[in-house]
Amino acid sequence: MIGKDFDPINFTLFGMDLADPTDFIFDIILGVLSLTLAYRAFKLNYQGEFLAAWQKFFLYFGLSIFLSGFGHLFYNYFHFYGKLLGWFFIPLSIYWIERAMISAHWNPKIIAKANKIYLIKLLLVYVAFFAVWMLVDVNAKPQLLFLPLAINTILGLLIGAGVFSYKFKSKISPSFKYVFYGIVAIFPSAFVFLLKINLHPYFTKNDFSHVLMIIGMSFFYYGFTKVMKEKHPFIKAK
C-alpha cells in the first residue's frame, strides 16, 4: 500500500495495551546495533575529531532509535509524546556525522566554516521544531512536528555525508566508498517513509526503512574503521 498507513496493530501483554510490535522490534535491533557500534568505536585505540564525532554519531543515533521503539510500543498510553525523547537525539546524531566527515577535509578554513554552519543548522532545526509545536495542533497532526527533523536528516546525510564521502573516496582514501555505500543504502528510506510505502501490516514503512538503515549503519562502521587504520593527518594514535 502506497500513500496511506495501515491501522496500528494493537496487542495485549502482561495486562498492558501495547502497539506496533514490529516497529518496536526493528527499532530495538537498529538501536542496539548502533549502540554496540558506538561502544566498539569508543574502544578504538585512536583519538582526534574524526573518531570522536563518529563515536557520538553512533551513540546519539542509537539512543534516538532505541528510545523511539518504546514510544511505538507504549503509543496507546503516551501517543506521540512517548517518541519525543527519541526524536530529540536525531538532529544531534546528524550534526555529529556531518562533523565526522568534514573533519577529514584537508582545508582547516573549510572545516571551521562548515562546523559553524552545521551548528547554526542544528539550532535552527530545534527552533523549527518548537515553532511547529507552538503554531500547529500537533495532537491532530504529529507528523508535522517530525517534518523538520526528517528534512534535516535527509539533507545532512545526503550532503554532509554523501557528497563528502563520494569526494573523499578519490581525494583521501578509497575506504570512504563504504561510507558512500551506506548513504546509498539509507537514502531510499526517505522516500519509503515520506511516500508511505507499506508492504504489509507487519512490515510497514518504518520496518522497511529500518532494514535499509541497518545495512547503512553497517557500511558506515566498516568504512570509518578502515579509514581509521590508515595513516591520515586527521587520525592520531593514543
Side-chain angles (χ1 to χ4, degrees), residues 4-141:
K4 186 178 179 181
D5 290 326
F6 290 110
D7 292 331
I9 297 173
N10 297 314
F11 67 104
T12 301
L13 184 65
F14 303 122
M16 294 184 291
D17 184 18
L18 305 177
D20 297 331
T22 56
D23 286 359
F24 172 71
I25 291 170
F26 279 105
D27 274 340
I28 294 302
I29 292 172
L30 179 57
V32 169
L33 171 65
S34 300
L35 291 173
T36 300
L37 297 179
Y39 173 77
R40 295 183 64 177
F42 275 103
K43 299 288 285 184
L44 293 174
N45 196 30
Y46 300 94
Q47 58 186 357
E49 169 74 4
F50 184 73
L51 174 59
W54 274 109
Q55 291 168 338
K56 292 172 185 175
F57 163 69
F58 287 118
L59 175 62
Y60 289 128
F61 186 83
L63 286 173
S64 70
I65 299 299
F66 186 83
L67 294 171
S68 294
F70 290 94
H72 282 289
L73 188 66
F74 293 103
Y75 185 81
N76 292 330
Y77 294 94
F78 304 109
H79 302 285
F80 77 91
Y81 294 100
K83 302 178 183 179
L84 291 180
L85 185 57
W87 288 1
F88 173 81
F89 288 108
I90 295 175
L92 284 174
S93 68
I94 299 303
Y95 170 74
W96 283 111
I97 194 172
E98 291 171 329
R99 287 282 301 263
M101 292 303 299
I102 199 62
S103 69
H105 203 282
W106 50 89
N107 190 327
K109 292 183 179 180
I110 290 179
I111 294 175
K113 184 177 181 179
N115 285 339
K116 290 179 182 177
I117 293 173
Y118 293 151
L119 180 58
I120 292 171
K121 183 169 71 69
L122 174 66
L123 297 176
L124 288 176
V125 170
Y126 285 118
V127 169
F129 179 87
F130 286 109
V132 172
W133 185 289
M134 298 296 294
L135 299 174
V136 176
D137 183 4
V138 293
N139 289 299
K141 295 183 177 181

Side-chain angles (χ1 to χ4, degrees), residues 214-227:
I214 288 170
I215 297 171
M217 295 295 285
S218 301
F219 272 119
F220 284 168
Y221 184 80
Y222 182 73
F224 115 83
T225 52
K226 280 186 68 69
V227 173

Side-chain angles (χ1 to χ4, degrees), residues 153-154 157 182-197 205-206 208-213:
T153 299
I154 293 170
L157 290 178
I183 296 297
V184 171
I186 288 176
F187 193 66
S189 67
F191 297 99
V192 170
F193 190 86
L194 295 176
L195 298 178
K196 298 183 178 181
I197 301 176
K205 68 180 190 297
N206 295 328
F208 194 177
S209 297
H210 288 152
V211 169
L212 296 176
M213 289 180 186

